[in-house]
Amino acid sequence: MTRERASAVAAWVSAAAGVALLAAAFLLELSGISARGELWTAAGAGGAFLLSLAILPAAGAHRFAVRARLLTAVGVSALIAVAALWQGSVKPDPSVLLLLIPVALLFATAGLALREASVEGRRSRLHQIRSRLDGAEAERRRWARELHDDTLQELAAAHVLLAAAAAAPDPAARSAGIADAREIVGRQIQSLRRLIAQMRPLALDALGLAAALEDLARHAHDRDGVEVEAEVEGLARLPAATETAVYRIVQEALTNALRHARAARIRIETGALGEGLRVVVRDDGAGPPPEGFTAGHGLRGMRERAELLGAALHVGPAALGGTQVTLDLPAQAM
């Protein structure tokens, strides 16, 4: 378990303890049994919420909203504690009410945090939309370049060959020209099939993620001559959005291993991780650079897809050399 994940678990445990103590304080307030017990229970709830606030990881898609809720819970706990202190006084002292000032400040801070959470959420959604549009535009440019540089020029060459064959008086020359044109058209049919598979693999919709990953490994082997293994047996069907995101992450990891790491052997494997799923892409290539991977190599898109799934993505050196990409999907993504 990573330090960040351990901090998140500890923060949620502390928050859960705070909720339990706050509920007990509410019951004591309603029953009026023990003002002293209510005071200490509410103070304990506030302390638990503050501890959760202190150890909550700085990163996270909903960090602002979570902090705002924790601050609100601290304010409620403080309000109950002040009420218990007032009720427990032998002779109620009006100066106790001055404690409501920091309570009011806590609620004001929580309100500002909620506003910031709303702004951050809107900013995050805009960033995700922009990233998706940028990614789609980059894919369109790549397809246009491949169609122009490869398919269009080859078809133009086939057109020239067919025109020359039609004008050739010699039957042998005519047959040779037609044969050459057919070879070019056959190559471009395969190229277009590969491009269509990259745009949206048919196996992903028809047969699921396991078949699509096996097909991806087979195409990579046939195209690049690199040994690519896919150990994905027993992988059940997942929600369509999850399968698409996992497939694109694996596809990008495989592309990086082939283009940048100069790998000779790549392995794709899946396995259970509690009630979730772990997906690993491991290669024997050059490994991560000394300064680590930058936002290039498609890493930003991989991280954004993982974040949308609520999954953890780790890219680093493999145990026996090369690079390992590990995607841990939680149960709720399945």
Side-chain angles (χ1 to χ4, degrees):
M1 182 182 293
T2 64
R3 179 179 298 180
E4 183 176 329
R5 186 171 180 81
S7 298
V9 171
W12 285 113
V13 170
S14 181
V19 170
L21 288 170
L22 188 59
F26 266 120
L27 291 175
L28 289 172
E29 169 66 23
L30 293 174
S31 64
I33 296 174
S34 172
R36 183 180 294 273
E38 180 185 339
L39 171 62
W40 287 109
T41 305
F49 289 128
L50 285 173
L51 177 62
S52 178
L53 193 62
I55 62 179
L56 190 70
H62 307 291
R63 59 189 182 279
F64 289 104
V66 172
R67 286 192 175 89
R69 293 187 180 97
L70 288 173
L71 280 170
T72 304
V74 172
V76 172
S77 302
L79 185 61
I80 294 176
V82 171
L85 185 61
W86 173 268
Q87 293 170 5
S89 300
V90 177
K91 182 180 180 181
D93 185 0
S95 62
V96 173
L97 297 179
L98 293 174
L99 294 173
L100 292 176
I101 296 175
V103 173
L105 291 175
L106 275 173
F107 280 116
T109 305
L112 290 173
L114 283 171
R115 182 175 178 276
E116 182 65 24
S118 175
V119 172
E120 178 64 19
R122 187 160 54 250
R123 188 183 299 124
S124 176
R125 287 192 295 272
L126 289 174
H127 175 71
Q128 290 172 5
I129 292 171
R130 190 179 299 113
S131 296
R132 286 196 292 269
L133 291 175
D134 289 345
E137 189 60 33
E139 282 294 298
R140 290 190 188 98
R141 286 196 297 268
R142 186 176 67 83
W143 296 334
R145 187 167 53 249
E146 184 167 340
L147 288 171
H148 178 271
D149 296 345
D150 186 14
T151 304
L152 186 59
Q153 292 187 15
E154 288 269 77
L155 290 177
H159 181 269
V160 171
L161 286 172
L162 289 173
D170 184 8
R174 228 177 2 252
S175 297
I178 293 172
D180 290 341
R182 290 184 62 187
E183 183 180 352
I184 291 174
V185 172
R187 282 202 306 268
Q188 288 314 304
I189 289 173
Q190 295 299 320
S191 178
L192 288 172
R193 282 176 177 167
R194 185 175 67 249
L195 186 61
I196 291 170
Q198 290 175 355
M199 292 170 63
R200 182 67 188 180
L202 298 178
L204 190 60
D205 293 324
L207 302 175
L209 181 60
L213 293 179
E214 290 175 343
D215 195 50
L216 182 65
R218 185 165 50 252
H219 279 301
H221 172 73
D222 294 342
R223 184 182 66 247
D224 299 286
V226 174
E227 183 181 351
V228 183
E229 298 177 90
E231 186 63 42
V232 293
E233 292 182 3
L235 180 60
R237 291 300 302 261
L238 303 174
T242 300
E243 288 191 334
T244 300
V246 173
Y247 179 87
R248 293 304 183 194
I249 290 171
V250 172
Q251 184 182 43
E252 187 61 44
L254 186 61
T255 299
N256 289 340
L258 293 169
R259 291 183 181 175
H260 306 292
R262 300 182 299 280
R265 187 170 182 270
I266 304 170
R267 181 175 176 82
I268 305 168
E269 57 187 40
T270 61
L273 184 67
E275 295 184 356
L277 175 70
R278 169 166 286 180
V279 182
V280 177
V281 181
R282 187 185 301 112
D283 67 66
D284 63 352
E291 68 277 9
F293 288 111
T294 62
H297 300 93
L299 184 59
R300 184 176 63 180
M302 293 166 65
R303 292 198 184 283
E304 288 175 349
R305 290 183 188 276
E307 188 175 350
L308 288 173
L309 292 176
L313 180 73
H314 177 72
V315 182
L320 300 178
T323 302
Q324 178 169 313
V325 177
T326 305
L327 177 70
D328 291 338
L329 273 79
Q332 56 265 30
M334 303 172 61

